[in-house]
Each structure stands twice: as C-alpha cells, then as structure tokens.
Amino acid sequence: MRYWLFKSEPSTFSIDDLASCAHQTEPWNGVRNYQARNMLRDAIKLGDGVLFYHSSCEPPGVAGIAEVVREAYPDPTAFDPHSPYYDAKSTRQNPRWFMVDVKLVRKFSQFLPLAEMKRHPALSEMIIFRKGNRLSITPVTANEWKTILKLAK
DNA sequence: GCCAACGTTGGC
DNA sequence: GCCAACGTTGGC
C-alpha cells in the first residue's frame, strides 16, 4: 500500500464536506492534469492512504486522512456540459479523465498547518515543497505519513 | 492582489 | 515540432 496527498480547496470541497457525505465516501472528481490523472488511473490502489490537504485558504495544511475505497473509473463530470469540469474531448467510449473514491478515516483533532510542516526536517523532501509544484495529487513516503500523523494527532 | 512557476493552446 | 501567449495554481 502507498500514501498520497490530495489537495482540495475547502471552499470547493473540505474535509467536513467529506464527513457529511453518505458513508463519508465521495468520488475525487475534477482532476484535469495528466500527471495527476496517471497517478489516479495507474498507481493509486484500494486501501491506499490519503492526506486530505486544504489549499488556497488560511491556513493551508493537512486536515485529516482518508483511504481509497474504489480504484480508478471514468470521471463522469467530464461528460456533463453543465459541469465546470466538462471536457468535450473526453467521451464515454474513450474517457480521458479518471477518479477514485475516497472514504474519510478521520479528521485530525489538531489541524496541521503548512507552516508547521515546513519546520519539520523529516518532511523537508515532500513534493509539495518543491519549487513550482502545482500537482494536486502527489505521492507521500511512509516516513512522511508517519511523521504527519504524529504531528497532527 | 501579487506573482513565480508551470501546463496548455494554437499559429506557423 | 517550436515557442509565444495565455490561463491556472497556490503560497504569501
């Protein structure tokens, strides 16, 4: 099993939104970046751990953890002309965009802000810290996962 | 709101 | 296939 960090803007979809979904489970739709798509489609497996990261907010940081409960399948929002994620080049016959289902494991009792993560040497190699990184889905090492769980409680 | 960094688009 | 222009991301 592997670990991942999924970014979401809480004004669009927050960890509390996931908590109020049926079965606390929801498809992670709307990813429209090929690198992230490839990870969703090829590398992210049932039971993998997900850090739920809040971006473009104050403060940014990790809000809790989720797990993958369904592996990649076509993202139907790409087929819907009324969806903000619509992509005319993605068809049901030849889908371009994929998603997985995630289920909330728990919201951290203590939110872990980005600023605090940056102070911790064990997290210094995280991909989200790399200059110019804009990927909304990135792999996380087992060590980083362990460290974050310890820091956040 | 700024702006660096990067991805995508489209003319050639 | 090149590359300039444009759009987006996301921390600050």
Side-chain angles (χ1 to χ4, degrees), chain A residues 32 75-92:
Chain A
R32 295 293 179 267
D75 180 348
T77 64
F79 310 139
D80 175 8
H82 301 296
S83 167
Y85 305 126
Y86 178 63
D87 179 356
K89 292 175 182 159
S90 186
T91 64
R92 289 180 194 277

Side-chain angles (χ1 to χ4, degrees), chain A residues 72-114:
Chain A
Y73 60 110
D75 180 348
T77 64
F79 310 139
D80 175 8
H82 301 296
S83 167
Y85 305 126
Y86 178 63
D87 179 356
K89 292 175 182 159
S90 186
T91 64
R92 289 180 194 277
Q93 290 72 30
N94 188 19
R96 175 175 295 197
W97 305 112
F98 291 81
M99 60 188 190
V100 299
D101 286 357
V102 296
K103 180 184 172 71
L104 181 68
V105 174
R106 62 189 171 87
K107 181 180 172 177
F108 289 151
S109 56
Q110 197 181 325
F111 182 85
L112 178 59
L114 177 63

